[in-house]
Amino acid sequence: MDEIVDTPSAILASAALLLRQRTFEDVSYLELAEAAGVSERTIYRRFPTRSHLLEGLARWIEAEHFPIPGFGTAAEFRDAVRARFRAYDAEPAFAFVAARGGALSPTADDPAAPITDAIVAMIDATAPNLNRRDARRAAASIRYFASPMFWARMRTGFDMSADETFEVFDLAVRRVLPAATEANRAAS
């Protein structure tokens, strides 16, 4: 029986392998097609522009190389983010691609990243009566501070290590979560 191949994943895995040798800008669709064992047309059909490819690759890298463990509490979330920042430090080339891809305007109708859903659930559990607008604002703030974009900004702009970046993240989260909780108490 033939094995079913997930073509987009095979393309993204091949792109990640090529990234170990060169920058994203230096990887051509033809070279990627040869590495993935598909036609160049297949690459264009799945990823019509380099923005589509970068966005898909960023999501794939985050899922494959920087998965975040499940969390339900703020403490578990902090531990997960600290581990993730350390993983970014260990594989900065992949982390920078994830950051660049995350900075793009979305090109696909993909659902929210699992970390976003988990942050929303954590806020809902922490502040169940918080109005939807404030809950979304808190989730967006926290999601940014836990992102590869934030890590990349701290690394390149301030030459911070993973642990130093985590300290900034932790300060931000400690300000956002209590504000959400206080707004929740006022709404009850």
Side-chain angles (χ1 to χ4, degrees), residues 2-150:
D2 290 334
E3 183 179 325
I4 297 173
V5 176
D6 176 8
T7 302
S9 291
I11 292 168
L12 296 172
S14 296
L17 286 174
L18 291 171
L19 284 177
R20 294 201 182 277
Q21 302 165 6
R22 61 186 63 73
T23 67
F24 178 78
E25 291 77 16
D26 293 334
V27 175
S28 72
Y29 271 36
L30 178 60
E31 181 180 32
L32 180 54
E34 289 172 359
V38 299
S39 71
E40 190 174 11
R41 182 176 177 177
T42 298
I43 303 288
Y44 278 104
R45 194 170 37 244
R46 303 290 181 168
F47 305 100
T49 67
R50 295 203 46 94
S51 291
H52 286 92
L53 178 59
L54 181 57
E55 181 184 8
L57 184 56
R59 282 181 174 261
W60 186 88
I61 285 172
E62 279 205 71
E64 295 295 318
H65 290 267
F66 308 119
I68 195 154
F71 59 88
T73 67
E76 292 170 343
F77 178 57
R78 285 183 179 97
D79 290 343
V81 171
R82 180 188 302 270
R84 197 173 209 208
F85 285 169
R86 287 177 176 164
Y88 293 158
D89 270 7
E91 291 191 273
F94 279 172
F96 281 114
V97 169
R100 281 187 57 202
L104 293 173
S105 294
T107 58
D109 293 331
D110 292 336
I115 188 174
T116 301
D117 291 338
I119 291 169
V120 169
M122 178 184 66
I123 290 172
D124 287 346
T126 303
N129 296 325
L130 188 61
N131 71 59
R132 187 80 181 131
R133 183 195 67 193
D134 289 343
R136 290 179 66 189
R137 286 178 177 172
S141 297
I142 291 169
R143 173 63 176 104
Y144 171 72
F145 286 113
S147 73
M149 289 180 290
F150 178 71

